[in-house]
Amino acid sequence: MTTAIQRPTRPPFYRDVTVLKWVFQIAFLIGIVTVFWLLGTFSIANLAKQNLAVSWDFMARPVGFQVAEGFTTFPESGFEALLVGVTNMLRVTISGILAATILGIIIGVSRLSHNWLVNKLATVYIETIRNIPLLVQIVFWGIVVSIIPDIVVDETSDGSLKSLFGLRLLPEGWIFASPKGFALPWFVPTDGRWQWVGFMIVGAVATRYVYRWRIRLQEAGTAEARAFLWSGGVLLAFAIVGTFAHPVMGIFGPVFGFVAAFFQNTPIIIFQIVLAGLAVGGAYYIIKKRLDELRTPAGLGKLTDDDWFRLVMAAVVALGLALFFLLQSGPVEAIVGQGTIFGQDIGFSQLFTGLENRFSFVGGAPFDFSLPAIDGRFNNYLPDAGHVITRAYFALWIGVVLYTAAFIGEAVRAGVLAVPRGQTEAGFAVGLRRSQLLRMIVLPQAFRIILPPVGNQYLNLAKNTSLGIAVAYPDIVQVGQTIFNQTGQTIPIVISWMAWYSFVSLTLSAIVNRWNKKLKLVER
Amino acid sequence: MTDQAIIDCRGVKKWFGDFQALRGIDLQVTKGEVVVIIGPSGSGKSTFIRCINRLEVHQEGQIFVDRIELTNDVRNIEAIRKDVGMVFQSFNLFPHLTIMQNITLAPIWVKKQSKSEAEAYGRELLERVGIPEQADKYPGQLSGGQQQRVAIARALAMQPQIMLFDEPTSALDPEMVKEVLDAMKELAKEGMTMIVVTHEMGFAREVADRVLFFDYGQLVEAGTPEHFFTNPQHDRTKLFLSQIL
Ligand SMILES: Nc1ncnc2c1ncn2[C@@H]1O[C@H](COP(=O)(O)OP(=O)(O)OP(=O)(O)O)[C@@H](O)[C@H]1O
Ligand SMILES: [Mg+2]
């Protein structure tokens, strides 16, 4: 007896996996959009009842408050105030990431150390820091600074100011500590710094070539590489020469001026077409790349539902963007700098005009060495003398750095431990020295393991800077809060916050993911 | 005899904590000799050959390799490691480097050869172990047998006088064992001095000049393969051979 083989029949649509997937994806999308739309309309209606229309006008209007620190303390508009908050947030984030990385590596390596004392100290550090909420730590550091005795203006003898902490090693008046924070001697940038930075970019490119050249020599067997020494030397040489020779970069001034004029004077329709073309071209590139990835020698593999979904989404988004650019000249005008955005005259044209002005400046040192100074009347540091680390900045910075370093240290330790013992043994067996072994075998492999969790910690650090509000650090959160206390415009402010933090997070993860992909081991 | 010995071990003892893994090993190996070490698990075979290139540190006795004594002197250790190649049970290839980079790393950085010189020799070695076409792949893309042959080529790239093998075929599927053993036989024929820890009795019988039996950290019995498989003397040797043959 034979049973007939059951031919696959097309299932009814409500059991078809493909249909279900698409339905769920689209339903989800619609659901999300609806929720936000409802939330938006309700809040707008609610605000309207209180005679408050949602409006972005505050961005262009003058604000009636002063910001505690930043590139300007008297912002001229709501937009500029938020910009000060943004740069303040970036200041903490970037220097915090650098410091936390260095400290984290030291902590992680100490945890692996055979030296009992070093090892135990690192362990105690990690266990203490990790188990106390970051907010508490930031407040703690704020308190620590605030109990430093205030600066005494000693007018009885010679009227000079006394620095605290009794730093008698240094000349009187070089380092100050007070409840307001710290002040140190510093190289204060002057107008020439832009040309100098331009010079250093050229130097960085040159250093890269020198580094490769040394590695090639080593591989050709003609010389010891000493690549780090060489590239460090070249960079230092550029920094020193650039201090005097930086005005040569002034030739870029007219170039930037030309670009600015181009953005200002080209008819807007051309930019609209170019942007629309870029959107379509970008989508074409993404789709083509994806299809190429799926192509095997045997021909194009069968596309999965996910593939289809992605390809269709890319095409739809691109077409939407292209239409937007073609139909709406306003946003495009704002981007290239022919129009305004939130009443602000910012865009590519203005950016290049700014660069032109900065690069055309000729002469002068890029940096001035300057000592901190005190405004005797208010017992306050003069902002433009030396380098002032305010109480709020210090508390937030030291808080996030110490906290993040503990986690980075654990990631480093785990990464190094995860490199199998056999790798070390094989390296020794072929005769590598300990330093070569670390550099060429252990660290490259450990790095792959360390990178993803450390990238995560960078994201955490960036987001945790918002806790600075506890010590009144004027980041975008604190400034935004001040604005909506004054104007009642909560929704635009919250949208600005979300946009900014998403932008930072996405940028950071994009960087980390790129590295991660580059370092991935090739497996079968 | 002792002055010609390329490896000369005198009363080598080694403890892990209070556990004694080696209880005084005396062994002289002459140039070109193939020595196979057999013995039950935990008898100290690995520990012994790892002492020869200082992956383990012996605490008593002396080890001379090519008349250089292994001491705490870094210079001696480096000199000896250049002269002694090692192949591990688990291959231990560097997964982040290509096959060619695995092979040329030490010649370039330790022997200071030029890259082209090292690569030319590397290609020759890959040819010899029968996988010239794999040079640009990564270890993860090769089969176990191929990986172990790369490991042999990597060790040979330093042009060592002595090769140590620690159970080179134990982690391999049966059908890959032969290709690795063939590469090792080839090497033995060319006159390489070899110390091989293995359970492959066929290999021992065919290639070994001398077979050593280890038990409880001691060299219990030594002799030709002939002697071992026909006329073993010690009871422990007899027991061990009866279990594995
Ligand atoms: N790093 C170590 N720490 C402590 N004990 C060790 C260590 N390495 C080896 N030993 C012990 O020393 C003894 C000898 O180990 P060894 O690896 O040399 O044995 P072996 O003869 O190679 O065995 P196998 O055939 O299983 O590989 C074993 O009892 C083992 O437990
Ligand atoms: Mg062993």
Side-chain angles (χ1 to χ4, degrees):
Chain A
M1 203 189 93
T2 56
T3 43
I5 295 167
Q6 215 183 348
R7 294 249 151 247
T9 53
R10 230 188 129 65
F13 72 90
Y14 55 86
R15 281 200 339 240
D16 187 331
V17 176
T18 318
V19 176
L20 289 180
K21 244 187 192 168
W22 277 85
V23 167
F24 281 129
Q25 300 239 37
I26 292 170
F28 189 65
L29 198 67
I30 293 175
I32 294 246
V33 172
T34 318
V35 166
F36 275 95
W37 184 74
L38 284 177
L39 275 178
T41 25
F42 284 151
S43 11
I44 289 173
N46 261 336
L47 287 171
K49 250 186 255 164
Q50 303 163 30
N51 277 335
L52 265 175
V54 171
S55 140
W56 292 81
D57 288 349
F58 69 88
M59 290 287 237
R61 289 222 193 96
V63 288
F65 61 86
Q66 200 184 335
V67 183
E69 62 181 296
F71 66 83
T72 169
T73 46
F74 291 99
E76 285 169 2
S77 62
F79 181 82
E80 197 176 31
L82 286 180
L83 210 58
V84 173
V86 161
T87 49
N88 282 344
M89 180 269 189
L90 282 180
R91 252 183 347 132
V92 179
T93 304
I94 294 171
S95 66
I97 282 178
L98 285 176
T101 307
I102 295 169
L103 183 61
I105 291 172
I106 294 173
I107 297 291
V109 172
S110 306
R111 278 272 271 166
L112 292 166
S113 163
H114 294 301
N115 181 321
W116 186 86
L117 187 64
V118 170
N119 190 319
K120 282 289 165 283
L121 278 178
T123 310
V124 169
Y125 170 86
I126 288 179
E127 292 307 330
T128 316
I129 295 281
R130 274 202 314 190
N131 291 317
I132 300 173
L134 177 54
L135 186 61
V136 175
Q137 296 189 38
I138 291 171
V139 172
F140 168 79
W141 289 113
I143 293 172
V144 166
V145 178
S146 67
I147 59 177
I148 298 174
D150 211 341
I151 291 165
V152 184
V153 183
D154 187 358
E155 291 188 293
T156 48
S157 54
D158 56 352
S160 68
L161 303 171
K162 293 278 181 243
S163 63
L164 277 156
F165 266 21
L167 288 162
R168 303 293 165 192
L169 294 175
L170 290 165
E172 193 89 14
W174 275 50
I175 294 183
F176 290 100
S178 84
K180 304 254 167 50
F182 307 91
L184 331 157
W186 202 255
F187 292 94
V188 172
T190 63
D191 292 344
R193 70 176 178 279
W194 296 96
Q195 294 176 341
W196 186 82
V197 167
F199 201 83
M200 287 312 290
I201 292 174
V202 176
V205 174
T207 304
R208 202 179 144 87
Y209 278 101
V210 168
Y211 181 81
R212 291 208 182 142
W213 166 64
R214 293 309 300 180
I215 294 284
R216 262 207 312 280
L217 278 192
Q218 167 83 43
E219 284 176 344
T222 29
E224 282 261 355
R226 304 208 189 290
F228 280 107
L229 213 65
W230 270 81
S231 29
V234 169
L235 202 62
L236 191 68
F238 264 91
I240 293 170
V241 173
T243 311
F244 305 102
H246 66 90
V248 297
M249 298 307 285
I251 51 168
F252 280 103
V255 177
F256 291 132
F258 178 78
V259 178
F262 170 78
F263 277 116
Q264 195 55 251
N265 301 327
T266 313
I268 196 66
I269 183 71
I270 294 189
F271 290 112
Q272 286 178 275
I273 293 172
V274 168
L275 280 174
L278 279 179
V280 174
Y284 173 77
Y285 175 76
I286 289 173
I287 292 174
K288 187 169 174 314
K289 204 173 133 199
R290 184 84 197 133
L291 286 178
D292 282 345
E293 275 171 18
L294 295 170
R295 206 183 299 279
T296 57
L300 188 57
K302 191 110 178 73
L303 295 185
T304 63
D305 303 334
D306 275 354
D307 294 331
W308 276 112
F309 194 78
R310 275 191 214 183
L311 297 183
V312 171
M313 277 308 259
V316 168
V317 169
L319 286 180
L321 269 178
L323 277 181
F324 176 76
F325 287 137
L326 286 178
L327 298 178
Q328 299 276 319
S329 62
V332 180
E333 277 170 357
I335 293 171
V336 298
Q338 296 183 12
T340 57
I341 178 168
F342 299 134
Q344 301 294 308
D345 209 8
I346 49 170
F348 280 107
S349 179
Q350 285 73 19
L351 173 71
F352 281 99
T353 308
L355 284 175
E356 179 192 11
N357 293 338
R358 281 164 181 152
F359 271 80
S360 300
F361 165 82
V362 176
F367 302 99
D368 274 341
F369 181 75
S370 101
L371 292 175
I374 283 172
D375 182 344
R377 282 170 306 165
F378 304 111
N379 268 9
N380 213 343
Y381 303 121
L382 288 178
D384 296 328
H387 185 62
V388 180
I389 301 168
T390 63
R391 186 180 73 96
Y393 182 92
F394 176 78
L396 174 59
W397 186 84
I398 199 86
V400 292
V401 165
L402 294 183
Y403 189 73
T404 311
F407 289 91
I408 292 180
E410 281 298 86
V412 168
R413 185 178 79 108
V416 172
L417 285 181
V419 177
R421 241 183 94 80
Q423 292 291 310
T424 322
E425 294 184 345
F428 279 139
V430 291
L432 294 180
R433 297 208 175 130
R434 191 170 281 279
S435 59
Q436 293 174 325
L437 185 84
L438 265 181
R439 199 174 48 174
M440 295 189 284
I441 309 296
V442 177
L443 288 183
Q445 292 185 57
F447 193 65
R448 283 154 220 265
I449 305 165
I450 295 170
L451 188 60
V454 166
N456 240 337
Q457 290 309 322
Y458 289 168
L459 287 181
N460 283 344
L461 189 150
K463 290 180 283 188
N464 283 338
T465 56
S466 59
L467 291 175
I469 199 159
V471 284
Y473 180 70
D475 72 333
I476 182 172
V477 176
Q478 201 256 358
V479 172
Q481 210 179 37
T482 314
I483 293 178
F484 79 55
N485 281 341
Q486 286 192 353
T487 63
Q489 292 297 346
T490 32
I491 292 181
I493 293 292
V494 170
I495 290 177
S496 311
W497 287 342
M498 296 202 305
W500 171 247
Y501 283 102
S502 315
F503 171 73
V504 170
S505 297
L506 290 176
T507 311
L508 271 175
S509 14
I511 295 172
V512 171
N513 281 345
R514 238 192 114 80
W515 270 64
N516 219 355
K517 231 180 188 166
K518 227 169 116 179
L519 292 174
K520 214 163 167 188
L521 283 186
V522 182
E523 301 281 353
R524 219 170 324 170
Chain B
M1 159 105 184
T2 4
D3 2 280
Q4 297 159 347
I6 191 163
I7 299 175
D8 188 352
C9 302
R10 299 176 191 171
V12 173
K13 293 181 186 168
K14 159 93 191 157
W15 284 264
F16 290 110
D18 53 8
F19 172 77
Q20 190 170 6
L22 297 177
R23 295 162 185 270
I25 306 288
D26 289 291
L27 175 70
Q28 280 77 38
V29 179
T30 47
K31 210 168 161 51
E33 201 180 3
V34 177
V35 175
V36 166
I37 302 180
I38 59 175
S41 183
S43 55
K45 310 181 294 290
S46 300
T47 307
F48 175 63
I49 70 166
R50 287 157 59 84
C51 281
I52 296 173
N53 67 351
R54 198 70 168 188
L55 289 184
E56 302 285 2
V57 179
H58 62 282
Q59 286 126 345
E60 264 181 42
Q62 289 174 300
I63 300 178
F64 297 87
V65 177
D66 206 13
R67 281 190 222 94
I68 304 172
E69 180 171 8
L70 267 177
T71 58
N72 275 330
D73 187 340
V74 183
R75 187 135 52 101
N76 286 6
I77 297 175
E78 279 175 11
I80 286 173
R81 280 181 179 159
K82 274 187 218 177
D83 233 18
V84 180
M86 183 156 193
V87 176
F88 301 86
Q89 179 174 351
S90 49
F91 328 139
N92 295 350
L93 294 179
F94 307 129
H96 60 301
L97 302 178
T98 64
I99 300 308
M100 186 50 88
Q101 288 168 337
N102 262 278
I103 294 175
T104 56
L105 183 78
I108 290 174
W109 292 94
V110 180
K111 275 197 149 181
K112 313 285 179 201
Q113 285 181 358
S114 77
K115 192 176 172 191
S116 52
E117 196 184 337
E119 284 189 349
Y121 189 53
R123 246 182 290 279
E124 197 182 311
L125 287 171
L126 283 177
E127 197 89 45
R128 255 166 73 186
V129 294
I131 38 173
E133 69 288 350
Q134 311 286 5
D136 297 321
K137 289 198 183 162
Y138 284 86
Q141 296 171 300
L142 268 54
S143 75
Q146 291 172 327
Q147 288 193 47
Q148 194 59 299
R149 284 183 284 163
V150 172
I152 294 175
R154 176 177 70 181
L156 290 177
M158 288 294 285
Q159 295 170 310
Q161 297 202 53
I162 301 158
M163 286 282 283
L164 308 174
F165 293 83
D166 191 0
E167 306 200 28
T169 57
S170 298
L172 296 178
D173 291 340
E175 73 270 20
M176 294 171 187
V177 169
K178 186 174 174 302
E179 61 193 45
V180 172
L181 289 182
D182 284 347
M184 289 166 61
K185 285 176 195 165
E186 200 60 38
L187 206 54
K189 247 184 256 162
E190 288 162 15
M192 175 68 74
T193 312
M194 293 163 60
I195 301 186
V196 185
V197 175
T198 187
H199 297 300
E200 295 291 333
M201 292 306 153
F203 177 83
R205 206 170 249 166
E206 190 181 339
V207 185
D209 297 308
R210 211 162 14 135
V211 177
L212 315 178
F213 175 68
F214 269 51
D215 201 7
Y216 291 115
Q218 279 168 322
L219 206 179
V220 175
E221 189 165 354
T224 61
E226 227 9 68
H227 157 86
F228 250 86
F229 296 113
T230 54
N231 187 23
Q233 296 298 305
H234 286 264
D235 291 340
R236 280 191 273 170
T237 319
K238 284 178 197 161
L239 181 68
F240 176 72
L241 287 172
S242 71
Q243 280 165 348
I244 63 161
L245 286 181

